[in-house]
Amino acid sequence: MMDALERLAGVGGDLLRRVDRVLIAGGAPAGDPVWELLRRVGALPGDVLEFGLKVRAEPLRVAGAQLRADADRFARRQGKLTVDLAGVWEGTGAEAFAVRWGALASYIGDGGDPGTITGRLRATATYAEALADWCDALRGELAEAVARVVSSAEAVTLRQADPAALREEPPAADVLEAAARIAVRVLQPAADAFAEARELMARRAPDLEELRYSEPGAGPAGGAAPTTRVAL
C-alpha cells in the first residue's frame, strides 16, 4: 500500500529536480538559510526525496521481532540448563564445570542486563524498532514538506520558467529565490531527522558494542586426582 510520500513522488520529484538544477546553476543568495541546510544534509532536495523513498520501516520491525525471539530462546535455554545441572553432578570435575558454566551463564544472561548476550539482542531489537519509527517519521515529514511546496507560489514560478532558464548561469533572480525557498522547506525536516538519527545512535551505542566472552579461571586447584559423582 502506497503511503503519502510515494503518492507525491511523481509531482514532487519533478519539482525538486527543477530546484536542483537551479541551485547547481546559480547557487542561492548570499547568506540564505539554504546554505547551512545544504551543509548539514549534504544533499540536494531531489536527492533527499529519493533517499526518503528508499528508507523502509518494515524490514527493521521484522528484524527487531526476530532479535527478540532469539533473545527469548537464549534466556530459556540458559535457565533450563542451569536447572538441569543443579545437584546431579558432584566432585572436582563438576566444580570445574560449574565455574565455566557460571561464567557462560552470566555471559548469556536472562535479558535484563544489556551487558549479556540476551540483553544485547534485546537492546539491538530496541534500536531496530527505534530506527523503524525514525523511518516512518522521516517519510511523514518529507511528505508534508513536499505537499506544501508543490502547491506553493514558488512552485508556480519554477513551472512557468522556460526550461532553458533553469540552466542559466545565474538563473533569473525570481527563479533563484523560489528554488532556495523550496529547498529550505524540504531540507529542514531532513536536517532535523538526521540530527535525531545521530542522537539515537549516540544514545544506543554503549548497548550495541561487541560483547566479548572472558574465560573463567582454571577451576579448583589441588594435586589430588579428580573425583566425579553423577546422579543418574
Side-chain angles (χ1 to χ4, degrees):
M1 183 176 179
M2 295 177 65
D3 65 2
L5 189 63
E6 289 171 317
R7 290 193 293 271
L8 290 163
V11 63
D14 176 70
L15 175 63
L16 296 184
R17 283 190 292 272
R18 290 170 180 256
V19 170
D20 291 354
R21 287 199 295 271
V22 172
L23 293 178
I24 291 170
D32 194 281
V34 74
W35 289 114
E36 173 64 15
L37 289 170
L38 286 168
R39 183 190 67 79
R40 289 174 58 191
V41 176
L44 291 166
D47 299 323
V48 168
L49 177 59
E50 289 186 12
F51 173 79
L53 288 166
K54 290 177 181 178
V55 298
R56 299 284 178 177
E58 188 55 31
L60 290 165
R61 297 196 192 285
V62 171
Q66 183 59 59
L67 286 166
R68 290 195 183 281
D70 289 342
D72 291 343
R73 178 168 53 84
F74 269 97
R76 286 195 303 270
R77 290 187 178 180
Q78 182 255 34
K80 184 177 185 302
L81 186 53
T82 298
V83 171
D84 288 347
L85 290 173
V88 302
W89 188 9
E90 298 178 358
T92 53
E95 292 170 8
F97 179 83
V99 171
R100 292 189 175 278
W101 171 241
L104 182 58
S106 296
Y107 178 65
I108 295 172
D110 60 6
D113 180 3
T116 63
I117 287 292
T118 53
R120 278 287 197 275
L121 287 169
R122 288 177 181 169
T124 305
T126 297
Y127 180 58
E129 291 157 358
L131 281 178
D133 292 339
W134 179 86
C135 290
D136 284 339
L138 173 63
R139 290 175 69 95
E141 291 291 333
L142 285 179
E144 182 177 349
V146 172
R148 289 179 181 276
V149 299
V150 296
S151 59
S152 66
E154 291 85 358
V156 174
T157 298
L158 287 176
R159 291 193 186 103
Q160 290 180 342
D162 187 310
L166 299 179
R167 294 186 290 273
E168 292 178 359
E169 296 185 13
D174 61 333
V175 172
L176 193 62
E177 178 67 21
R181 295 285 63 73
I182 290 174
V184 167
R185 292 174 186 173
V186 173
L187 292 174
Q188 185 64 63
D192 293 342
F194 293 164
E196 290 171 6
R198 288 190 290 270
E199 191 277 332
L200 174 64
M201 181 61 190
R203 190 171 68 250
R204 296 290 181 183
D207 294 339
L208 301 175
E209 294 176 353
E210 180 182 1
L211 184 64
R212 294 184 178 276
Y213 174 67
S214 298
E215 284 284 346
T227 301
T228 299
R229 292 183 294 275
V230 180
L232 300 176

